[in-house]
Amino acid sequence: MNISQTILTKATERGPNKSTCPSEIARQMFPADWRNHMQEVRDAAIELQKEGKVIITQKGEPVDVDHIKGPVRISIVKL
């Protein structure tokens, strides 16, 4: 399973009212060196948001993905 698929699976499991942290995805996929893969996970989440599949938030509010600073959360889009 690739990073995007893993993000979608985890976000879907959590449902639209809960979120997941990018580090959860990285730890699940790359347990030995997950920190080295954080940017890949964030990049995949950004692409998924641009496709309208997830929402990236900070402090519960949608964030401008072109100007992310600090920790974020990922939620599946409510259908």
Side-chain angles (χ1 to χ4, degrees):
M1 190 177 308
N2 70 30
I3 295 172
S4 294
Q5 290 171 324
T6 303
I7 291 170
L8 289 172
T9 298
K10 182 66 78 175
T12 300
E13 288 171 358
R14 295 278 165 93
N17 298 318
K18 294 192 177 184
S19 61
T20 187
C21 180
S23 68
E24 292 178 70
I25 306 301
R27 285 183 177 113
Q28 177 181 334
M29 295 189 73
F30 312 100
D33 63 344
W34 64 271
R35 284 183 178 89
N36 295 332
H37 298 276
M38 283 296 295
Q39 191 59 51
E40 292 171 67
V41 173
R42 287 173 74 124
D43 290 346
I46 288 167
E47 284 304 312
L48 289 170
Q49 177 163 308
K50 289 179 179 178
E51 293 170 8
K53 296 178 180 177
V54 301
I55 299 171
I56 299 174
T57 60
Q58 286 182 314
K59 299 180 182 177
E61 296 296 320
V63 65
D64 177 355
V65 295
D66 294 322
H67 299 95
I68 293 177
K69 290 184 181 179
V72 296
R73 304 286 295 178
I74 305 165
S75 300
I76 198 72
V77 170
K78 296 177 187 179
L79 298 177

